[in-house]
Amino acid sequence: MPDELRADVRLLGEVLGRVLTESVGADLLEDVEHLRALTIAAYEEDGSDAIEAAEALIDTFTVERAEEVARAFSCYFHLVNLAEEHHRVRVLHRREAEASPDAAPTDSIQHAVETLRQEVGEEETARRIAGLEFRPVLTAHPTEARRRAVAAAIRRITNLLAERDARLGGITLADNKRQLLAEVDGLWRTSPLRSTKPSPLDEVRTAMATFDQTLFEVFPEVYRRFDDWLAGDDAGLVPPRVPSFVRLGSWIGGDRDGNPNVTASLTKQAAAIASEHALHALEAVALRLGRALTLDASTTPGSSALEALWQSQRLLAEDVTDEIAQRSPNEPYRRVLLVIAERIKATRLRNADLAYDLADDLLADLRVVQESLVAAGAARAAFADLQQLIWQVETFGFHLAELEVRQHSQVHRETLAEIAEVDSLDDLSERSREVLEVFRAMASVQARYGVAAARRYIVSFTTSAEDLANVYTLARHAMGPEAPLPVLDVIPLFETFADLQASVDVLDAAITHPLVQERLAQTDRRLEVMLGYSDSSKDVGPVSATLALYDAQSRIAQWARDNALTLTLFHGRGGALGRGGGPANRAILAQPPHSVDGRFKLTEQGEVIAARYGHPVIAARHIDQVAGATLLASAPSIEARNSGAAEEFAAMAERMDEVSRERFFALVKSPGFPQWFAQVTPQEEIGLLPLGSRPAKRGLSINSLDDLRAIPWVFAWSQARINLTGWFGLGTALRAVGDVEQLRRAYARWPLFATMIDNVEMSLAKTDDRIARRYLALGDRPDLDALVLEEMALTREWVLIVTGKERMLANMRVLGRAVQMRSPYVDALSLIQIRALRGLRRPAEPDTTLDAEAQQAADERVAKLQRLLLITLNGVAAGLQNTG
């Protein structure tokens, strides 16, 4: 561990120890330290005596003491996580300071551009830069276990830790230590559990905090760095060559698939909240810029267009412009920009006399100012902060994020069937009326904030072209026979294995629909298709899903080229490896030829939003990596490598698909599997954890995997330290291939295969068969236990064979350090969780002899065990840095 990180972790550990002693007592710290020593010994010695001693110690705890110990370990994980993030920022700052323009990292935009210049030439590279698109879509899928109050406390502690890097001394250092103690004490005393589930609007506001803290400033900052590098010595003197290539999307307040809490009214509220934040931010920048742009007319005369703009502003609001003119004599740029700021404010406050109708109108005014500055010889003023504001308006508009609606295809079918049976739409059920109301809400949002604010409508579980046509039919019912429809880009979402295989046939039929053809003509034949990673993996296992997704992308990309369509593939990825997680830039570079073509869109969910966009330095690095990979993916050398490898190893992939799927089905299709799964993992209890507004399952009970959502499916296996969704079936598949040289050749030559192997290695590094056995013992299926443990051992063995390593993560220093540093502490929380599960899993025979007082005591004990379990769920998630 680097010395600086070691010092930070030691400091925070000491502070936490003092807080525990002061707030509860030295005996709590002694219990924590005793358990910590035992789990470290068990981890380092790989012996059973220490882990059994740890279990015995936990059994001596009261439920209350077990909860205190679990909270202490959870606090420790939060502190270690923030120390690691702070060290990562520290390292990134140093790399930037030491970086040479001629030695860009291989996973950066600069490297991608240099590669393209060599392979396709300067002119084609410039064209591709101009067409670059990165579309992260924020979702409210419940994978962020931390409360907002906990996240806020962590930010404050991080800031105090950063202060210490400034070489504080004497009284200042002592004050910093005092504040650290106070903040950690506050973190310890803050309940790790939400008291209630968040509402969809709570989720909207959480996303807005990320926009306010990082995204509004980070996106244009990335554009600026890229553009400065392209311009070289001319940076700041020439028009930008980098477009505003990021467009933020959001499902928060729009995704109603399985979430009855998301209504049409709420969708409009979500759009209004987002617009409020966007306009507030734009207003503040315009006001600051207007106050600073004090160029005198004698040195920097305004153009005739600028004077015309000023006169039109005076006609709009003479009182406002007169006051500004008095404060800004002979400063044409300042007065125009101050009026622009007032107009943005009026737009936010809905003052129709002064408000802008659309963001494009604001952009037109800003470009008048910029062009006038250039004409007057003030290029540096034109292309500095004013350009930043232009980029921000282009990126966020007045809507901030493109709100996307999602609904299940079955809901559409049932609504249309109901419409056919009633005499009036007023006679429809509440759900069906709500389905129609969504289209009216979309029309309302478009009218107020522009078409881009809400035009995408995603159809979950698309199985036929009729599923897409149904959206237009429903929109017509909603709007009536005469009213114009809202602008709709209807996007199929192919999720299951069968749907992925049928995707091209569905798309082929869909583009014959007259309204689809009309929309394609309006968008210059641009089409979007979404692919689901979560349900396909739950459907056929991680190996088959990975291969099926690659095959579907390859076929869809070729189909789009054959039909002269500009395709954007939308990747419905989660944070966990079982849901398409892992390094995004590596995944992009492993995609089939023409499936990226300079455009990349993906879902960013829960904990991933905080991890990737919570800190501006890390967010900028992430965007740089993804944008670089998006450009590089279409380099001829990358496309040739991917297509050649896919062809070379096609037979091997087919064998792996067949064998892994058979192995996966042997587990999940075993009689009684859903019930066993609910016994050996905390799957049922996850539904009690108040993470998100959407229910964790699609019914009252789990009778098959179809009833269970993908997130708790992944979450439960990770909590049990098995991570089955990330690797099950791979070991059997690799053994079936058997040819070690061929497998190693595929690992060296085929990025898809290498990424899959590396992701499985990361997943297996977080598994622990000793802990896993204790979870599996909660069930009564030794046959399934053996299947899981055998496959775990087999996969670990063959991953090491293929990679040529002696141990997991041998050449992944940073990740290996993180896993090694946390694993013993996660073990402690897992053992406490197992204790709680054992207490809750005991058969509850009704005891009619209990009096009311005894029954109340029994109920209270169950409630305490459930709370203890929920606290450990939260803590293990923090320790593994992963939920679903």
Side-chain angles (χ1 to χ4, degrees), residues 205-241:
R205 293 186 180 99
T206 297
M208 292 304 100
T210 305
F211 168 79
D212 295 340
Q213 291 158 14
T214 61
L215 299 183
F216 184 68
E217 298 291 344
V218 165
F219 290 165
E221 182 61 32
V222 172
Y223 307 154
R224 171 65 68 197
R225 292 183 187 181
F226 185 13
D227 196 66
D228 284 354
W229 176 78
L230 285 175
D233 292 340
D234 288 334
L237 290 172
V238 295
R241 296 165 60 185

Coordinates of all heavy atoms in Angstrom, one line a residue, residues 205-241:
R205 N -34.1 14.1 -6.8 CA -33.3 15.1 -6.1 C -31.9 14.6 -5.9 O -31.0 15.4 -5.8 CB -34.0 15.5 -4.8 CG -35.4 16.3 -5.1 CD -36.0 16.8 -3.8 NE -37.2 17.5 -4.1 CZ -38.5 17.0 -4.0 NH1 -38.6 15.7 -3.6 NH2 -39.5 17.7 -4.3
T206 N -31.8 13.3 -5.6 CA -30.5 12.7 -5.4 C -29.6 12.9 -6.7 O -28.4 13.2 -6.7 CB -30.6 11.2 -5.1 OG1 -31.3 11.1 -3.8 CG2 -29.2 10.6 -5.0
A207 N -30.3 12.6 -7.9 CA -29.5 12.8 -9.1 C -29.2 14.3 -9.3 O -28.1 14.6 -9.9 CB -30.4 12.3 -10.3
M208 N -30.1 15.2 -8.9 CA -29.8 16.6 -9.1 C -28.6 17.0 -8.3 O -27.8 17.9 -8.7 CB -31.0 17.4 -8.7 CG -32.2 17.3 -9.6 SD -31.9 17.7 -11.3 CE -31.8 16.0 -12.0
A209 N -28.4 16.4 -7.1 CA -27.2 16.7 -6.3 C -25.9 16.4 -7.1 O -24.9 17.2 -7.1 CB -27.2 15.9 -5.0
T210 N -25.9 15.3 -7.9 CA -24.7 15.0 -8.7 C -24.5 16.0 -9.8 O -23.4 16.4 -10.1 CB -24.9 13.6 -9.3 OG1 -25.1 12.6 -8.3 CG2 -23.7 13.2 -10.1
F211 N -25.6 16.5 -10.4 CA -25.5 17.5 -11.4 C -24.9 18.8 -10.8 O -24.0 19.4 -11.4 CB -26.9 17.8 -12.0 CG -27.0 19.0 -12.8 CD1 -26.6 19.0 -14.2 CD2 -27.5 20.2 -12.3 CE1 -26.6 20.2 -14.9 CE2 -27.5 21.4 -13.1 CZ -27.1 21.4 -14.4
D212 N -25.5 19.2 -9.7 CA -25.0 20.4 -9.1 C -23.5 20.4 -8.7 O -22.8 21.3 -8.8 CB -25.8 20.8 -7.8 CG -27.3 21.0 -8.1 OD1 -27.6 21.4 -9.3 OD2 -28.1 20.9 -7.2
Q213 N -23.1 19.2 -8.1 CA -21.8 19.1 -7.6 C -20.7 18.9 -8.6 O -19.6 19.3 -8.5 CB -21.7 18.0 -6.5 CG -22.5 18.3 -5.3 CD -22.9 17.0 -4.5 OE1 -22.4 15.9 -4.8 NE2 -23.9 17.1 -3.6
T214 N -21.0 18.1 -9.7 CA -20.0 17.8 -10.6 C -20.3 18.0 -12.1 O -19.6 18.6 -12.9 CB -19.5 16.3 -10.4 OG1 -20.6 15.4 -10.7 CG2 -19.0 16.1 -9.0
L215 N -21.5 17.4 -12.5 CA -21.7 17.3 -13.9 C -21.8 18.6 -14.7 O -21.3 18.7 -15.8 CB -23.0 16.5 -14.2 CG -23.0 15.1 -13.6 CD1 -24.3 14.4 -14.0 CD2 -21.8 14.2 -14.1
F216 N -22.4 19.6 -14.1 CA -22.5 20.9 -14.8 C -21.2 21.5 -15.2 O -21.0 22.0 -16.3 CB -23.3 21.9 -14.0 CG -23.6 23.2 -14.7 CD1 -24.5 23.2 -15.7 CD2 -23.0 24.3 -14.2 CE1 -24.8 24.4 -16.4 CE2 -23.3 25.6 -14.9 CZ -24.2 25.6 -16.0
E217 N -20.2 21.3 -14.3 CA -18.9 21.9 -14.6 C -18.0 20.9 -15.3 O -17.1 21.3 -16.1 CB -18.2 22.3 -13.3 CG -19.0 23.4 -12.5 CD -18.9 24.8 -13.2 OE1 -18.1 24.9 -14.1 OE2 -19.7 25.6 -12.9
V218 N -18.1 19.6 -15.0 CA -17.2 18.6 -15.5 C -17.3 18.4 -17.0 O -16.3 18.3 -17.8 CB -17.3 17.3 -14.8 CG1 -16.6 16.2 -15.6 CG2 -16.7 17.4 -13.4
F219 N -18.5 18.3 -17.6 CA -18.7 18.0 -19.0 C -17.9 19.1 -19.9 O -17.1 18.8 -20.7 CB -20.1 17.9 -19.4 CG -20.8 16.7 -18.9 CD1 -22.2 16.6 -18.9 CD2 -20.1 15.6 -18.4 CE1 -22.8 15.5 -18.4 CE2 -20.7 14.5 -17.9 CZ -22.1 14.4 -17.9
P220 N -18.2 20.4 -19.6 CA -17.5 21.4 -20.5 C -16.0 21.4 -20.2 O -15.2 21.8 -21.1 CB -18.2 22.7 -20.1 CG -18.8 22.5 -18.8 CD -19.2 21.1 -18.8
E221 N -15.6 21.1 -18.9 CA -14.2 21.0 -18.6 C -13.5 20.0 -19.5 O -12.4 20.2 -20.0 CB -14.0 20.7 -17.2 CG -12.5 20.7 -16.7 CD -11.8 22.1 -16.9 OE1 -12.5 23.1 -16.9 OE2 -10.6 22.0 -17.2
V222 N -14.1 18.8 -19.7 CA -13.6 17.8 -20.5 C -13.5 18.3 -22.0 O -12.5 18.1 -22.7 CB -14.4 16.5 -20.5 CG1 -13.9 15.5 -21.5 CG2 -14.3 15.9 -19.1
Y223 N -14.5 18.9 -22.5 CA -14.5 19.5 -23.8 C -13.3 20.5 -23.9 O -12.5 20.5 -24.9 CB -15.7 20.3 -24.2 CG -17.1 19.6 -24.0 CD1 -18.2 20.4 -23.7 CD2 -17.2 18.2 -24.0 CE1 -19.5 19.8 -23.5 CE2 -18.5 17.7 -23.9 CZ -19.6 18.4 -23.6 OH -20.8 17.9 -23.4
R224 N -13.1 21.3 -22.9 CA -12.1 22.3 -22.9 C -10.7 21.7 -23.0 O -9.8 22.1 -23.9 CB -12.2 23.2 -21.7 CG -11.0 24.1 -21.5 CD -10.9 25.2 -22.6 NE -12.0 26.1 -22.5 CZ -12.4 26.9 -23.5 NH1 -11.7 26.9 -24.6 NH2 -13.4 27.7 -23.4
R225 N -10.4 20.7 -22.2 CA -9.1 20.0 -22.2 C -8.8 19.4 -23.6 O -7.7 19.5 -24.1 CB -9.0 19.0 -21.1 CG -9.0 19.6 -19.7 CD -8.9 18.4 -18.7 NE -9.1 18.9 -17.3 CZ -8.9 18.1 -16.3 NH1 -8.6 16.9 -16.4 NH2 -9.1 18.6 -15.1
F226 N -9.8 18.7 -24.1 CA -9.7 18.1 -25.4 C -9.4 19.1 -26.5 O -8.5 19.0 -27.3 CB -11.0 17.3 -25.7 CG -11.0 16.4 -26.9 CD1 -9.8 16.2 -27.6 CD2 -12.2 15.9 -27.4 CE1 -9.8 15.4 -28.8 CE2 -12.2 15.1 -28.5 CZ -11.0 14.8 -29.2
D227 N -10.2 20.2 -26.5 CA -10.1 21.2 -27.5 C -8.7 21.9 -27.4 O -8.1 22.2 -28.4 CB -11.2 22.2 -27.4 CG -11.4 23.1 -28.6 OD1 -11.7 22.5 -29.7 OD2 -11.1 24.3 -28.5
D228 N -8.3 22.2 -26.2 CA -7.0 22.9 -26.0 C -5.9 22.0 -26.6 O -4.9 22.5 -27.2 CB -6.7 23.1 -24.5 CG -7.5 24.3 -24.0 OD1 -8.2 25.0 -24.8 OD2 -7.5 24.6 -22.8
W229 N -6.0 20.7 -26.3 CA -5.0 19.8 -26.9 C -5.0 19.8 -28.4 O -3.9 19.8 -29.0 CB -5.2 18.3 -26.3 CG -4.3 17.3 -26.9 CD1 -3.0 17.1 -26.5 CD2 -4.5 16.4 -27.9 NE1 -2.4 16.1 -27.3 CE2 -3.4 15.7 -28.1 CE3 -5.7 16.1 -28.7 CZ2 -3.3 14.6 -29.1 CZ3 -5.6 15.1 -29.7 CH2 -4.4 14.4 -29.9
L230 N -6.2 19.8 -29.0 CA -6.2 19.8 -30.5 C -5.7 21.1 -31.0 O -5.0 21.1 -32.0 CB -7.7 19.6 -30.9 CG -8.3 18.2 -30.8 CD1 -9.8 18.3 -31.2 CD2 -7.6 17.2 -31.7
A231 N -6.0 22.2 -30.3 CA -5.6 23.5 -30.9 C -4.1 23.8 -30.6 O -3.5 24.6 -31.4 CB -6.4 24.6 -30.2
G232 N -3.5 23.2 -29.6 CA -2.1 23.5 -29.3 C -1.8 24.9 -29.0 O -2.5 25.5 -28.1
D233 N -0.9 25.6 -29.6 CA -0.5 26.9 -29.3 C -1.7 27.9 -29.6 O -1.7 29.1 -29.1 CB 0.7 27.4 -30.1 CG 2.0 26.6 -29.6 OD1 1.9 26.1 -28.4 OD2 2.9 26.6 -30.3
D234 N -2.6 27.5 -30.5 CA -3.7 28.4 -30.8 C -4.9 28.3 -29.9 O -5.9 28.9 -30.1 CB -4.2 28.0 -32.2 CG -3.2 28.4 -33.3 OD1 -2.5 29.4 -33.1 OD2 -3.2 27.8 -34.4
A235 N -4.7 27.5 -28.8 CA -5.8 27.3 -27.8 C -6.3 28.7 -27.3 O -5.5 29.5 -26.9 CB -5.4 26.5 -26.7
G236 N -7.6 28.9 -27.4 CA -8.1 30.2 -26.9 C -8.2 31.3 -28.0 O -8.8 32.3 -27.7
L237 N -7.6 31.0 -29.1 CA -7.6 32.0 -30.2 C -8.5 31.6 -31.4 O -8.8 32.4 -32.3 CB -6.2 32.2 -30.7 CG -5.3 33.0 -29.7 CD1 -3.9 33.0 -30.2 CD2 -5.8 34.4 -29.5
V238 N -8.8 30.3 -31.5 CA -9.5 29.8 -32.7 C -10.9 29.1 -32.2 O -11.0 28.7 -31.1 CB -8.7 28.8 -33.4 CG1 -7.5 29.4 -34.0 CG2 -8.3 27.6 -32.5
P239 N -11.8 29.1 -33.1 CA -13.1 28.4 -32.8 C -12.9 27.0 -32.3 O -12.0 26.3 -32.8 CB -13.9 28.5 -34.1 CG -13.3 29.6 -34.8 CD -11.9 29.6 -34.5
P240 N -13.7 26.5 -31.4 CA -13.5 25.1 -30.9 C -13.7 24.1 -32.0 O -14.6 24.3 -32.8 CB -14.6 25.0 -29.8 CG -15.6 26.0 -30.1 CD -14.8 27.2 -30.7
R241 N -12.9 23.0 -31.9 CA -13.1 21.9 -32.9 C -13.8 20.8 -32.2 O -14.2 19.8 -32.9 CB -11.7 21.5 -33.4 CG -11.0 22.6 -34.2 CD -9.5 22.3 -34.3 NE -9.3 21.0 -35.0 CZ -8.1 20.5 -35.2 NH1 -7.0 21.1 -34.8 NH2 -7.9 19.3 -35.8

